Structures are given as structure tokens and as C-alpha cells.
């Protein structure tokens, strides 16, 4: 979570002594950083959800390895369940797992790009404002 700390007297004097004017381009960078932070939070949540779905599918696949070959397995398609042969259910689960893995990879890629952009903005904003701005998330 976010940690707050008090500035020491020396830090307060060092940062308060020189008033920095916030230019339009600086404000645009701050706004972009904020939007990227919101997107990062959303993508992290999406990634956790997809990873949980993947784990659930892998667990189901492991459970189905113990099932009997002739047994009909209920498989959820949309809002209803359809009884299908074990082999067909395993094939469907395998393709679902592959789709989720692709989704996880795509979200991880987007998250990496967002974090790189945020890092670049942090560097630029800290170079301009020093300790008078807090971009820690």
C-alpha cells in the first residue's frame, strides 16, 4: 500500500525554497502518468483473474485424468451444461487453456509496456521536480 512520510526540516527547506512552476507539458506528463497507473491497476487485476482461470482449468484437467473413459462429463458451454465424452472434454479444456495462456501473455505484454512508459515519465518528472513530487504507487 501507499506509505506516507513526513519531510524532514532540511527536505522541507530544500524543496520549499524554490517554487517550481508547473508548465503545461509537465501537467500533461503528470496526467499521462496517472492514466497509466490506472491502466496498470486494471491490467494487474485482469492478469490475476486470467491466471486464476488458468489454474482452475489445469486443476480440472488433472481431475479428469482420473475419470473413466466411457463416462459422460458435464461441460459448460455458455450458460448450460452438455454431457460429452471424456476425450472431447479434454480436447475442449486443452484449447480453452491455450486461449487463456495467450490472453495471459497479451496482458503481461501490455503491463510491461505500461510499466516502461511509467518509468520513463518518472525519470522525466523527478528530473524536473526532484523531491517536490511523489510518483510512488
Amino acid at each position: 500500500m501507499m506509505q506516507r512520510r513526513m519531510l524532514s526540516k532540511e527536505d522541507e527547506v530544500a524543496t520549499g525554497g524554490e517554487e517550481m512552476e508547473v508548465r503545461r507539458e509537465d501537467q500533461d506528463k503528470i496526467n499521462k502518468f496517472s492514466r497509466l497507473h490506472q491502466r496498470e491497476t486494471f491490467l494487474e487485476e485482469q492478469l490475476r483473474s486470467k491466471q486464476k482461470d488458468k489454474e482452475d482449468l489445469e486443476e480440472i484437467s488433472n481431475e479428469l485424468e482420473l475419470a473413466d473413459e466411457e463416462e459422460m462429463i458435464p461441460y459448460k458451454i455458455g450458460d448450460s451444461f452438455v454431457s460429452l465424452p471424456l476425450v472431447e472434454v479434454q480436447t475442449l479444456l486443452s484449447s480453452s487453456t491455450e486461449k487463456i495462456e495467450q490472453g495471459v501473455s497479451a496482458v503481461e505484454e501490455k503491463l510491461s509496456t505500461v510499466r516502461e512508459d511509467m518509468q520513463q515519465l518518472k525519470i522525466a518528472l523527478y528530473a524536473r521536480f526532484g523531491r517536490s513530487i511523489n510518483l510512488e504507487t
Side-chain angles (χ1 to χ4, degrees):
M1 287 282 138
M2 190 167 90
Q3 294 179 351
R4 296 179 185 215
R5 67 178 181 89
M6 299 279 295
L7 287 177
S8 67
K9 287 291 181 188
E10 297 82 32
D11 291 339
E12 194 173 331
V13 169
T15 59
E18 46 185 90
E19 279 291 317
M20 279 283 189
E21 183 180 329
V22 178
R23 300 176 304 210
R24 176 70 182 167
E25 61 195 45
D26 298 330
Q27 188 61 50
D28 290 343
K29 287 179 183 178
I30 293 168
N31 292 344
K32 184 176 181 182
F33 183 86
S34 176
R35 286 190 305 273
L36 287 172
H37 180 258
Q38 289 173 351
R39 181 147 172 79
E40 177 189 37
T41 303
F42 172 76
L43 288 172
E44 286 172 344
E45 184 178 308
Q46 203 175 30
L47 183 62
R48 280 191 296 274
S49 173
K50 287 187 182 294
Q51 287 174 333
K52 184 180 181 330
D53 290 346
K54 181 182 168 189
E55 288 173 11
D56 291 345
L57 284 177
E58 288 172 351
E59 186 177 320
I60 291 169
S61 294
N62 291 338
E63 287 292 323
L64 285 178
E65 289 177 8
L66 303 174
D68 189 20
E69 288 282 331
E70 291 93 34
E71 195 174 338
M72 296 296 278
I73 309 294
Y75 186 80
K76 186 176 181 182
I77 299 177
D79 291 335
S80 60
F81 285 89
V82 179
S83 292
L84 299 171
L86 177 65
V87 175
E88 191 173 338
V89 170
Q90 287 174 328
T91 304
L92 289 170
L93 281 175
S94 175
S95 68
S96 294
T97 302
E98 286 176 21
K99 285 179 187 175
I100 288 179
E101 285 174 353
Q102 291 172 353
V104 166
S105 295
V107 170
E108 286 174 339
E109 220 173 275
K110 289 177 187 175
L111 194 55
S112 174
T113 303
V114 166
R115 287 181 174 153
E116 287 172 12
D117 292 346
M118 286 175 66
Q119 189 60 34
Q120 293 302 316
L121 287 170
K122 273 185 181 182
I123 291 168
L125 290 168
Y126 278 131
R128 169 104 168 99
F129 294 104
R131 300 185 95 188
S132 62
I133 190 168
N134 181 9
L135 300 174
E136 297 309 311
T137 55

